[in-house]
Structures are given as structure tokens and as C-alpha cells.
Amino acid sequence: GENVEQHPSTLSVQEGDSAVIKCTYSDSASNYFPWYKQELGKGPQLIIDIRSNVGEKKDQRIAVTLNKTAKHFSLHITETQPEDSAVYFCAASWGSSGDKLTFGTGTRLAVRP
Amino acid sequence: GAVVSQHPSRVICKSGTSVKIECRSLDFQATTMFWYRQFPKQSLMLMATSNEGSKATYEQGVEKDKFLINHASLTLSTLTVTSAHPEDSSFYICSAVRVRETQYFGPGTRLLVL
């Protein structure tokens, strides 16, 4: 089955700096890669996703890049703010975007004011 | 749009009792819902896939007789933890799939078994 590795496990940045979280996946058939933000005691919230036919996608301060050859994808957050502090999960699935997801281990991001 | 609710948000029960958790898609119909379990500081672990009108598909290692899943309508799935024990204490999260879209997650239910 699919295996998703995520690094780093914790990340601390100064407010205004950029943060980058990286994930690698094992199944070359995976074609959908969402990123979720989870705040303490809440369910995950989709923040951005990318499909395998696209190399990069951006939404305001958030961007995701995908390298299919190397089987890795990354989340980039620019101009970080204290409210960006949370746990971020990457995930991968194959088939349609509604198929089951395999999650990474999570990255705890702390943005220092 | 794409709001998923869970009820209750937290529940405390005695060992040996059963607990039912509801997952509802409030503004869309969901043919598929997923149930996850999350321990503190860990990732989400898929427990089962629930399709409306059919039996749930359980992941390896998940006891189907202990975690009963019912998906009786396109907007409601329930997870019943039967004969709960302290090791079942966890954060249970559901998600619902809107056709041709991604999974939308509920806010989670924190279960504490004493």
C-alpha cells in the first residue's frame, strides 16, 4: 500500500518568514495530494491540494509543488503569521479525489511573534 | 458549503458501555464517508470506509464487531463503539465525500472511557 513520509516533525519560524514542509510518497499511481491544517482539538481543514497533472499550485500565501519523478511534494507558506501555528498533514491517494487517503505523520508548525 | 458535523463533540463513558457517534453532511449528499481515529500527537489512521446502503469496509486490524458503522442515508453515518474500554479512548474523526470532490472532515469527537 501507499506510504507517506513527512518532514520535519516540528518547525519553528519567526513571524514573516517562510515555512516549507516536505512529503514523499511510495506509490507512483497516487495522483491526488491534499494538505490539511489541524488546530488543537479540531478536525483537519483542507488548505490546498494538487493533482498529478499539475506541477505547482498557489493560493495567496500558500503554495504546493509536486515532483512526480521524485515522488515528493511540498507545502510552502510565505509571510507566516501566528495564526498559521498548527499541525499540518500531507496526504496522498490514487483514483478520484474522494478515494481513501494515506496521511503523513504531521508537522507541528510554531510561528513566533 | 461542504460542512460536516459530528455529535457529540466529547463523551465520557464507563468501561463496558457502548457509545454512538454521528457524522452528518449538512449541505451536501455524501455517498462515501470515512472514519478515522487519532491518538494524541499522532496522525489520522483510517478505520473504515462507509458507503451509503452497503456494509462498511474495515482497514486491517480494525475489529468490525467492536466498531459498528451504519451509513443509512446520504447525509448520515454512525460509528458505535461497543463494550468500550479505556484503550478505546481517542479522538474519532469522520469525513464525507461530495461527488468528484475531496474529503471534508468533521470537527471530531473526543471519547474518554473510564
Side-chain angles (χ1 to χ4, degrees):
Chain A
E2 175 67 279
N3 182 52
V4 178
E5 295 186 358
Q6 183 171 347
H7 299 281
S9 57
T10 60
L11 179 61
S12 180
V13 300
Q14 192 70 39
E15 181 177 1
D17 288 349
S18 296
V20 180
I21 303 171
K22 299 181 179 181
C23 288
T24 59
Y25 59 98
S26 61
D27 190 345
S28 56
S30 290
N31 58 9
Y32 176 64
F33 308 93
W35 285 90
Y36 294 91
K37 175 183 180 182
Q38 186 178 28
E39 297 177 338
L40 189 63
K42 297 183 179 180
Q45 179 185 11
L46 178 72
I47 56 172
I48 196 167
D49 57 8
I50 193 168
R51 301 179 193 278
S52 60
N53 59 345
V54 176
E56 183 175 357
K57 184 176 179 180
K58 189 174 181 180
D59 183 5
Q60 299 183 333
R61 296 187 296 111
I62 296 173
V64 56
T65 58
L66 171 65
N67 183 326
K68 287 190 297 182
T69 303
K71 290 189 284 188
H72 66 69
F73 55 113
S74 301
L75 177 71
H76 304 254
I77 306 174
T78 59
E79 301 173 28
T80 54
Q81 302 166 3
E83 49 265 40
D84 294 329
S85 297
V87 179
Y88 291 81
F89 291 97
C90 63
S93 82
W94 61 275
S96 71
S97 55
D99 283 346
K100 67 178 184 180
L101 297 166
T102 300
F103 281 84
T105 49
T107 296
R108 186 171 301 276
L109 173 65
V111 180
R112 305 186 304 273
Chain B
V3 178
V4 178
S5 70
Q6 280 184 243
H7 179 81
S9 57
R10 51 195 332 169
V11 56
I12 301 173
C13 69
K14 292 182 178 180
S15 185
T17 61
S18 295
V19 175
K20 179 184 283 189
I21 302 170
E22 291 186 350
C23 177
R24 293 182 184 272
S25 55
L26 299 185
D27 53 357
F28 66 99
Q29 294 184 329
T31 54
T32 302
M33 291 184 173
F34 297 91
W35 286 96
Y36 296 83
R37 186 173 179 177
Q38 186 178 35
F39 290 108
K41 296 186 178 182
Q42 293 190 22
S43 188
L44 285 79
M45 296 300 297
L46 180 65
M47 299 176 65
T49 303
S50 170
N51 291 299
E52 186 264 339
S54 61
K55 291 183 178 180
T57 302
Y58 291 82
E59 295 298 300
Q60 190 173 6
V62 178
E63 301 176 58
K64 61 180 181 181
D65 294 331
K66 181 168 186 62
F67 299 100
L68 301 179
I69 292 173
N70 185 284
H71 193 158
S73 77
L74 288 172
T75 59
L76 173 64
S77 177
T78 60
L79 168 68
T80 301
V81 184
T82 62
S83 187
H85 289 93
E87 57 266 30
D88 298 323
S89 298
S90 189
F91 193 49
Y92 292 87
I93 308 171
C94 72
S95 70
V97 178
R98 191 159 63 179
V99 177
R100 292 191 295 277
E101 293 190 28
T102 190
Q103 294 184 33
Y104 296 96
F105 285 83
T109 296
R110 187 162 302 283
L111 170 64
L112 177 60
V113 184
L114 302 176

